[in-house]
């Protein structure tokens, strides 16, 4: 059994969570049209829907909330955030925005248009959506190893560099508006990207004169994996590794709701291009608010500054990764497969393996998510065909490379016992796996359908 890495903090404030009965959960699930996003938070016992904005802030961050400067223009909290951002990332220009997708909305239309394509190790759904809203096409280019969940190799989040160069030559370098490196690679299971891979991608980007942008939501967890698994960096501090990672790119967009351990916030970083920064400022004022608050309160800017450093703390990152390793270890013992080795922000259960009687169009990842809720009040979500949706031209259901049920672990929120309950619930479901029904959609909207679709079990 994997040893649990004890929390490097103690609990000062608690939040009561409701215990429910199976009958209550069956009723709630049916009322939510079997959509996990339709459930009310109060009907959930352990909420693993996402690790985004669901983090517990520290006493230091809460005291920062009181110090937040709410000036419309030129507040202290803004200047502090810019200074801290420069210190951590080594970029000249730091622009706050209200969350990750706001950063994408501000930056991408400057880099992309309908003549362009964008290539990523894997686009997250909102990054893909903003590439497409800017008129361009989004192409994923992750290493093949990522597509085999049981294959235990390091850095499964990497870009397939051979394929990247082939794509650039196919489309022509002038057509590639941006290369996006998502660290860690969320959609591939929170899998990290190595510095070696960053270097190769950066070399290719430079060779062809293509802009390189980091999608930095989980940058600190990525730095942790580099320190742990890339020999060259075993004695380098997490902060120095972070500097090195960012040195290879031109810009970054960041959802601060993950590794900056806040409930709301985002950033854009620009290494040195003052002309680009000027355009970013223009879009920020139009879409987000004045440049010195970017859609956030002064108190949010203050807790974000503090959280950026707390997220880089090595003891914290060891504990954080320890939680994933512990839960994954319990699943190993039970023969439950997941995207392995386990990634940075959650355990992605291989639902196709667990529910082999279900076809991709019966949504195994979603079926397991519903079952986990009915079994123990645990809320998770599908990262598979249900999320992927339909082909925009033919309207046919697309088949995803993976059928995952994602157990995303919020930061500093749940304890070892909660993880035990999660593993126990999965083990119980595995015993009766052949009885778990598939699902069919009874209503769906055009875009990002998984958030709102109505579904029902197939009898
Ligand atoms: N990029 C990545 C890699 C993400 O995981 C997310 C959000 C975003 C961008 C967008 O950031 O939500 O602040 O607008 N991921 C969340 C998740 C929602 O559950 O994985 P946002």
């Amino acid at each position: 059994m994997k040893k649990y890495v004890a929390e490097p903090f103690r609990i000062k404030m608690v939040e009561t969570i409701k215990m429910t009965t199976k009958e209550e959960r069956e009723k709630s699930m049916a009322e939510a049209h079997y959509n996990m996003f339709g459930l009310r938070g109060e009907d959930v016992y352990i909420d693993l829907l996402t690790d985004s904005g669901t983090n517990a802030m520290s006493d230091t961050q809460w005291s920062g909330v009181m110090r937040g400067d709410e000036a419309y223009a030129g507040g202290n909290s803004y200047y502090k955030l810019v200074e801290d951002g420069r210190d951590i990332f080594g970029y000249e220009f730091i622009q706050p925005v209200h969350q990750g997708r706001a950063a994408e909305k501000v930056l991408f239309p400057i880099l992309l248009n309908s003549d362009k394509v964008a290539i990523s190790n894997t686009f997250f759904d909102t990054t893909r959506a903003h590439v497409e809203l800017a008129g361009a096409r989004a192409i994923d280019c992750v290493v093949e190893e990522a597509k085999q969940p049981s294959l235990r190799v390091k850095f499964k989040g990497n870009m397939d560099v051979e394929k990247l160069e082939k794509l650039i030559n196919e489309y022509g370098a002038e057509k590639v508006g941006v290369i996006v490196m998502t660290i860690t690679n969320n959609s591939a299971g929170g899998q990290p990207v190595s510095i070696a891979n960053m270097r190769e991608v950066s070399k290719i980007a430079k060779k062809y004169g293509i802009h390189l942008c980091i999608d930095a939501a989980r940058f600190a967890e990525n730095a942790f994996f580099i320190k742990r698994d890339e020999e060259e960096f075993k004695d380098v501090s997490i902060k120095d590794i972070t500097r090195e990672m960012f040195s290879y790119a031109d810009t970054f967009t960041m959802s601060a709701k993950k590794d900056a351990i806040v409930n709301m916030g985002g950033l854009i970083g620009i290494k040195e291009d003052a002309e680009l920064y000027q355009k970013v400022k223009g879009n920020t004022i139009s879409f987000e608010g004045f440049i010195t608050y970017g859609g956030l309160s002064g108190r949010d800017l203050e807790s974000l500054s503090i959280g950026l450093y707390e997220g880089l703390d090595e003891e914290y990152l060891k504990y954080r990764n320890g939680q994933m390793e512990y839960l994954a270890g319990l699943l190993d013992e039970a023969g439950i497969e997941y995207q392995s080795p386990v990634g940075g922000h959650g355990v992605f259960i291989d639902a196709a393996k667990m529910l082999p009687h279900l076809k991709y169009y019966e949504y195994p990842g979603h079926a397991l998510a519903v079952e986990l809720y009915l079994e123990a009040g645990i809320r998770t979500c599908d990262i598979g065909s249900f999320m992927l949706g339909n082909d925009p031209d033919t309207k046919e259901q697309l088949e995803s490379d993976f059928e995952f049920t994602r157990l995303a672990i919020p930061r500093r929120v749940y304890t070892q016992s909660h993880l035990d309950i999660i593993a126990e619930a999965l083990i119980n479901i595995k015993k009766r796996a052949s009885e778990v029904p598939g699902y069919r959609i009874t209503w769906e909207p055009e875009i990002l359908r998984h958030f709102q679709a109505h579904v029902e079990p197939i009898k």
Side-chain angles (χ1 to χ4, degrees):
M1 198 205 230
K2 277 262 178 196
K3 197 167 176 310
Y4 185 81
V5 179
E7 284 77 6
F9 52 81
R10 58 187 172 188
I11 297 165
K12 185 174 264 185
M13 190 188 282
V14 296
E15 184 182 355
T16 303
I17 45 181
K18 197 166 86 179
M19 315 290 278
T20 50
T21 63
K22 180 115 196 229
E23 289 68 40
E24 286 169 334
R25 294 195 290 275
E26 274 166 356
K27 186 163 170 276
S28 304
M29 200 70 260
E31 279 171 6
H33 299 284
Y34 294 90
N35 186 318
M36 309 314 291
F37 294 89
L39 287 170
R40 294 173 72 119
E42 65 170 9
D43 295 328
V44 174
Y45 177 48
I46 301 176
D47 205 344
L48 310 181
L49 187 65
T50 176
D51 61 316
S52 180
T54 51
N55 308 305
M57 292 210 298
S58 68
D59 53 350
T60 317
Q61 285 176 295
W62 279 109
S63 57
V65 165
M66 296 306 296
R67 287 196 306 272
D69 181 346
E70 303 300 344
Y72 187 94
N76 286 336
S77 304
Y78 165 74
Y79 288 109
K80 178 171 164 14
L81 178 63
V82 170
E83 242 172 68
D84 292 344
R86 282 183 182 152
D87 173 49
I88 293 170
F89 305 108
Y91 281 26
E92 178 66 18
F93 307 110
I94 301 290
Q95 177 59 58
V97 289
H98 86 273
Q99 65 181 96
R101 68 200 69 181
E104 296 150 16
K105 185 181 180 210
V106 165
L107 182 66
F108 285 4
I110 304 171
L111 304 173
L112 296 168
N113 57 50
S114 56
D115 286 333
K116 304 276 188 190
V117 297
I119 306 173
S120 175
N121 51 342
T122 312
F123 285 101
F124 178 67
D125 2 351
T126 62
T127 37
R128 175 182 303 280
H130 280 292
V131 165
E132 286 167 6
L133 285 168
R137 274 189 52 204
I139 305 168
D140 289 335
C141 188
V142 72
V143 290
E144 283 302 312
E145 293 90 324
K147 296 172 189 169
Q148 302 163 54
S150 59
L151 184 70
R152 295 202 177 198
V153 296
K154 289 171 186 167
F155 298 110
K156 279 168 101 170
N158 279 351
M159 181 84 82
D160 182 335
V161 282
E162 239 171 73
K163 189 171 160 202
L164 172 67
E165 197 154 11
K166 209 166 137 236
L167 284 168
I168 295 170
N169 285 318
E170 239 169 69
Y171 284 96
E174 67 295 340
K175 270 202 89 165
V176 183
V178 63
I179 297 173
V180 177
M181 283 298 265
T182 311
I183 62 171
T184 58
N185 190 333
N186 183 5
S187 307
Q191 293 294 316
V193 171
S194 68
I195 291 271
N197 191 250
M198 287 290 301
R199 283 180 184 144
E200 284 186 82
V201 170
S202 161
K203 213 161 107 191
I204 292 172
K206 284 212 172 75
K207 176 172 161 192
Y208 293 96
I210 300 169
H211 187 102
L212 180 54
C213 176
I214 292 179
D215 179 351
R218 299 178 181 87
F219 73 99
E221 287 165 6
N222 201 81
F224 174 84
F225 283 110
I226 288 170
K227 180 161 179 127
R228 195 190 69 181
D229 293 338
E230 220 170 344
E231 180 63 23
E232 182 187 340
F233 294 94
K234 69 180 197 309
D235 299 318
V236 182
S237 74
I238 295 289
K239 193 172 161 212
D240 287 346
I241 293 172
T242 299
R243 271 272 183 143
E244 172 108 13
M245 286 190 308
F246 283 82
S247 74
Y248 295 108
D250 301 297
T251 52
F252 70 81
T253 57
M254 179 189 292
S255 168
K257 300 170 72 172
K258 284 83 169 172
D259 278 1
I261 329 188
V262 286
N263 305 115
M264 191 52 71
L267 292 176
I268 298 169
I270 300 164
K271 196 197 265 164
E272 56 199 7
D273 186 342
E275 215 174 294
L276 177 60
Y277 177 48
Q278 194 50 50
K279 290 182 189 155
V280 161
K281 283 197 281 189
N283 280 358
T284 301
I285 295 171
S286 309
F287 300 144
E288 290 288 286
F290 189 60
I291 47 179
T292 66
Y293 71 88
L296 294 167
S297 303
R299 63 181 81 103
D300 296 328
L301 302 175
E302 197 74 30
S303 50
L304 170 46
S305 276
I306 299 164
L308 281 172
Y309 286 103
E310 290 186 2
L312 292 174
D313 181 87
E314 215 162 302
E315 291 308 318
Y316 154 74
L317 284 168
K318 271 186 203 153
Y319 141 78
R320 168 93 178 133
N321 181 256
Q323 282 208 319
M324 309 303 147
E325 293 277 348
Y326 176 78
L327 180 53
L330 296 177
L331 301 183
D332 284 339
E333 284 167 27
I336 294 171
E337 293 195 28
Y338 53 90
Q339 176 64 298
S340 61
V342 70
H345 65 291
V347 181
F348 288 57
I349 306 292
D350 188 346
K353 269 275 163 65
M354 188 143 162
L355 307 173
H357 58 291
L358 300 184
K359 304 277 187 298
Y360 69 93
Y361 50 80
E362 296 168 323
Y363 311 127
H366 181 70
L368 181 57
V370 173
E371 220 56 33
L372 267 166
Y373 179 71
L374 297 178
E375 174 74 24
I378 299 165
R379 175 157 67 169
T380 58
C381 73
D382 169 274
I383 304 271
S385 297
F386 181 56
M387 182 180 92
L388 189 62
N390 299 321
D391 184 298
D393 299 321
T394 67
K395 311 288 178 212
E396 291 281 311
Q397 171 68 52
L398 293 165
E399 182 174 3
S400 172
D401 285 334
F402 322 100
E403 300 297 343
F404 289 136
T405 302
R406 182 180 76 167
L407 317 178
I409 311 290
R411 293 166 186 77
R412 306 191 291 210
V413 171
Y414 292 113
T415 63
Q416 182 175 11
S417 335
H418 290 119
L419 301 182
D420 288 335
I421 288 170
I422 296 162
E424 211 174 283
L426 279 162
I427 291 164
N428 287 343
I429 295 167
K430 186 169 187 255
K431 286 183 199 146
R432 55 178 169 78
S434 64
E435 295 157 28
V436 172
Y439 284 79
R440 77 170 138 248
I441 292 175
T442 57
W443 173 82
E444 62 186 310
E446 278 276 321
I447 51 158
L448 294 170
R449 66 127 186 249
H450 57 293
F451 290 117
Q452 299 187 71
H454 294 178
V455 287
E456 66 179 17
I458 301 167
K459 290 277 178 332

